[in-house]
């Protein structure tokens, strides 16, 4: 469709495009007709939650599977219904690529099994609800949002790569390999094309999911870029024993490494202090027994979320401060070993 | 709990209805039939096919949502039935009654499954629909109106040397163009699509399909490239084609002033003034 050696881009519809659009329009019209027919005949059920219904709700909650953690490329996942604006068909999404900083490029599947527009791709899955991918409706999902889903199926490596090529085709305009050209849909030209209505409907369906992704990423980016971050729960160990689980947010502190942690059953606090001039996190001991603790060869070990550790020896009051340059992972644990 | 609630729980716990107890099978099939019976005969596409739905096994259509992948481990089979988890989590966490949520989901799933089942039958019936036939539910449009042939002109000239050559030979190209091709070029500059334009058919006295042939010759097959080759016989074919494209774009002013001086072209300017035609490659996002 694009003429590489010419300043013209000429589009002349091919027969397969006309055929595909015809089939799609037939399905779209059928969908409208079925929607209307079912609506006319629908009845509003008695909408009261009585005690029997409450028992039923409790029972079914118990038999729902837990979400599947650790999403991977090529997986097809069913999103949690918490992302539904209203009662909805299953929202299946494909995990296309692992993206930087614990995020993933994901793409929904269309409820209509024929590719409607150039940004849709018939990847080769046989089941009708997984037959057609909406690459135009892709989004970046952070891990914590994407984990609110169940693993349902998988794409092959080839299907995943092909879908990513179609994504690049619509996002950057790269040429599509010949073998994929008939597996996408035809372009849209007219403003009154019913596919515009379809795309709007599909976009709205994923609104809550996309909002949740954006919100989570805004938080993430604030955490990662400005200062040393901490996990929502920092575990303090004295020797091998877990002494304290400190939650900075619950204590009215920020996610920034800048607060004092009272250690349970002891006479000291661990001060964690972000120094924005030196861009280091300082650790030191505060309290009546601080001097006594630092006078011995006690050790302080800071553990980051990725498992990285920094060990500090107080060495008879010589090294009162531990200073750690900013790292990209949050602080997860502080271990204190007393002699 | 009442029988239908127990039936739903049993269905959730086992893989599908076929493995449920006789009582559960009966309850859920009756439930599915009662919903389907109210609606299916009203769908106009096929009265014959509709009868097949009413044989006491309507629940099967709901279970079309089970993914049929063969899983390596027995417990993994439930991953293919994740839609059940979706329905039940929604039901359990909703402020509405379970009946309302389950009925809502069931209706929606059933509609989509029916649509898919009709798909093949639709294709058999609709093979003979022509591209010029008005569309169902949209009688002002035809398939051709939705997929008109189109040309988009790049705004930047990347090769200054070839641009210079194009500037020098554009008059020869203009003189080579036929009346119809000048009118087609004018319609492109006016943002009019030949396949939807009544004015262009009138001005050129060509049918839609003949216009399509001219359009393809002019832009895709570069019909007048010979005029460029006559002037620059030693240029590589690739460069000749680029010069052809550049020269066409550079003709814009000449084509407009030609059109203004041709009384016959007036309908094109009138239509172009109100045309909303555009070409965006169909990439909405």
């Amino acid at each position: 469709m694009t003429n590489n050696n010419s300043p013209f881009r000429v589009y002349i519809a091919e027969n397969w495009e006309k055929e595909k659009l015809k089939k799609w329009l037939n399905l779209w019209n059928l969908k409208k007709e079925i929607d209307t027919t079912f609506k006319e005949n629908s009845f509003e059920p008695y909408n009261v939650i009585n005690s029997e219904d409450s028992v039923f709700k409790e029972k079914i909650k118990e038999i729902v599977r837990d979400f599947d953690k650790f999403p991977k490329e090529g997986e097809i996942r069913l999103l949690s219904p918490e992302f539904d604006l209203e009662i909805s068909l299953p929202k299946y999404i494909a995990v296309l690529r692992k993206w930087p900083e614990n995020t993933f490029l994901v793409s929904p599947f269309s409820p209509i099994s024929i590719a409607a527009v150039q940004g849709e791709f018939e990847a080769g899955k046989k089941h009708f609800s997984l037959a057609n991918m909406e690459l135009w409706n892709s989004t970046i999902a952070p891990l914590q949002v994407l984990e609110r889903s169940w693993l349902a199926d998988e794409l092959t490596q080839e299907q995943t790569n092909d879908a990513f090529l179609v994504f690049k085709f619509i996002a950057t305009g790269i040429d599509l390999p010949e073998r994929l050209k008939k597996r996408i849909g035809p372009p849209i030209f007219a403003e009154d094309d019913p596919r515009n209505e379809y795309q709007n409907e599909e976009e709205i369906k994923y609104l809550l999911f996309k909002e949740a992704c954006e919100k989570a990423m805004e938080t993430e980016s604030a955490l990662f870029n400005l200062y040393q971050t901490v996990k929502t729960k920092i575990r303090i160990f004295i020797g091998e024993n877990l002494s304290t689980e400190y939650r900075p947010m619950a204590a009215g502190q920020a996610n920034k490494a800048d607060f004092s942690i009272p250690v349970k059953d002891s006479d000291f606090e661990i001060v964690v202090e972000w120094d924005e001039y030196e861009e280091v996190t300082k650790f030191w001991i505060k309290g009546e027994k601080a001097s006594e603790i630092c006078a011995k060869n006690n050790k302080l070990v800071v553990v980051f979320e990725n498992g990285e550790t920094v060990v500090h020896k107080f060495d008879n009051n010589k090294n009162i401060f531990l200073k750690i340059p900013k790292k990209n992972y949050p602080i997860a644990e502080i271990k204190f070993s007393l002699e | 709990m009442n029988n239908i609630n127990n039936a739903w729980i049993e269905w959730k716990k086992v893989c599908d209805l076929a493995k449920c107890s006789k009582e559960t099978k009966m309850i859920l099939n009756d439930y599915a039939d009662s919903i389907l019976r109210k609606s299916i005969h009203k769908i106009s596409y096929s009265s014959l096919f509709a009868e097949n739905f009413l044989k006491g096994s309507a629940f099967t259509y709901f279970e079309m949502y089970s993914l049929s992948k063969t899983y390596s481990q027995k417990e993994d089979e439930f991953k293919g039935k994740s839609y059940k988890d979706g329905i039940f989590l929604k039901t359990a966490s909703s402020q509405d009654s379970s009946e309302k949520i389950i009925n809502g989901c069931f209706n929606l799933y059933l509609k989509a499954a029916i649509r898919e089942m009709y798909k093949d039958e639709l294709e058999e019936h609709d093979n003979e629909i022509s591209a010029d036939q008005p569309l169902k539910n949209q009688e002002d449009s035809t398939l051709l109106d939705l997929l008109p042939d189109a040309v988009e002109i790049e705004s930047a000239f990347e090769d200054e040397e070839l641009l210079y050559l194009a500037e020098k030979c554009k008059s020869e190209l203009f003189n080579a163009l036929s009346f119809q091709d000048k009118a087609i070029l004018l319609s492109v500059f006016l943002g009019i699509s030949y396949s939807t334009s009544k004015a262009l058919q009138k001005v050129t006295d060509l049918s839609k399909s003949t216009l399509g042939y001219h359009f393809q010759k002019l832009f895709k097959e570069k019909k007048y490239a010979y005029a460029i080759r006559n002037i620059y016989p030693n240029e590589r074919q690739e460069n000749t084609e680029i010069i052809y494209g550049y020269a066409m774009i550079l003709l814009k002013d000449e084509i407009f002033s030609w059109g203004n001086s041709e009384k016959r072209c007036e309908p094109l300017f009138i239509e172009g003034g109100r045309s909303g035609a555009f070409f965006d490659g169909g990439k909405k996002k």
Side-chain angles (χ1 to χ4, degrees), chain A residues 57-245:
Chain A
K57 280 176 183 250
E58 280 306 312
K59 274 260 180 207
I60 58 176
K61 201 181 263 179
E62 288 167 14
I63 53 175
V64 169
R65 277 197 306 131
D66 290 339
F67 293 129
D68 292 306
K69 302 286 176 194
F70 314 116
K72 288 194 282 293
E73 279 181 14
E75 285 181 353
I76 296 171
R77 288 178 160 254
L78 175 71
L79 288 180
S80 162
E82 73 200 78
F83 301 119
D84 290 347
L85 279 167
E86 50 191 18
I87 292 174
S88 160
L89 285 173
K91 285 194 175 72
Y92 289 114
I93 52 160
V95 183
L96 292 185
R97 282 288 181 271
K98 171 94 177 68
W99 230 241
E101 292 186 354
N102 265 341
T103 61
F104 298 81
L105 175 69
V106 299
S107 170
F109 286 86
S110 169
I112 295 184
S113 57
I114 295 170
V117 293
Q118 287 191 312
E120 294 195 354
F121 177 56
E122 293 157 14
K125 296 296 290 182
K126 287 207 172 73
H127 194 276
F128 61 88
S129 57
L130 304 179
N132 178 28
M133 298 175 75
E134 297 174 353
L135 279 317
W136 60 268
N137 207 4
S138 297
T139 196
I140 307 291
L143 179 71
Q144 67 267 40
V145 179
L146 187 55
E147 279 187 334
R148 302 196 64 73
S149 63
W150 295 277
L151 176 61
D153 204 339
E154 283 161 357
L155 292 169
T156 64
Q157 186 70 49
E158 189 185 3
Q159 287 166 341
T160 312
N161 290 342
D162 286 347
F164 188 57
L165 283 175
V166 177
F167 173 78
K168 287 207 284 188
F169 162 67
I170 53 161
T172 68
I174 62 151
D175 277 345
L176 205 57
E178 201 56 43
R179 66 190 166 82
L180 301 182
K181 283 188 176 164
K182 292 186 181 175
R183 290 162 65 189
I184 62 169
I188 294 181
F189 295 91
E191 284 174 61
D192 60 349
D193 192 314
R195 291 173 295 163
N196 287 317
E197 184 190 342
Y198 154 76
Q199 282 193 300
N200 289 337
E201 280 183 13
E202 286 303 295
E203 204 167 19
I204 289 167
K205 279 185 198 167
Y206 287 89
L207 208 64
L208 284 185
F209 175 62
K210 287 181 181 179
E211 278 177 4
C213 292
E214 276 170 27
K215 202 173 165 192
M217 282 195 295
E218 276 170 20
T219 316
E220 283 287 305
S221 105
L223 286 176
F224 276 107
N225 292 332
L226 301 173
Y227 42 72
Q228 178 61 56
T229 59
V230 295
K231 288 199 73 167
T232 49
K233 183 171 74 182
I234 304 173
R235 292 162 20 119
I236 312 293
F237 288 85
I238 305 293
E240 295 296 314
N241 303 319
L242 177 66
S243 154
T244 306
E245 287 192 334

Side-chain angles (χ1 to χ4, degrees), chain A residues 9 11 26 52-53 118 127 152, chain B residues 2 64 71 98 150 152 281:
Chain A
R9 286 175 68 216
Y11 173 80
N26 281 336
E52 189 178 11
D53 199 24
Q118 287 191 312
H127 194 276
Chain B
N2 61 31
M64 280 172 68
Y71 293 93
S98 303
E152 186 188 53

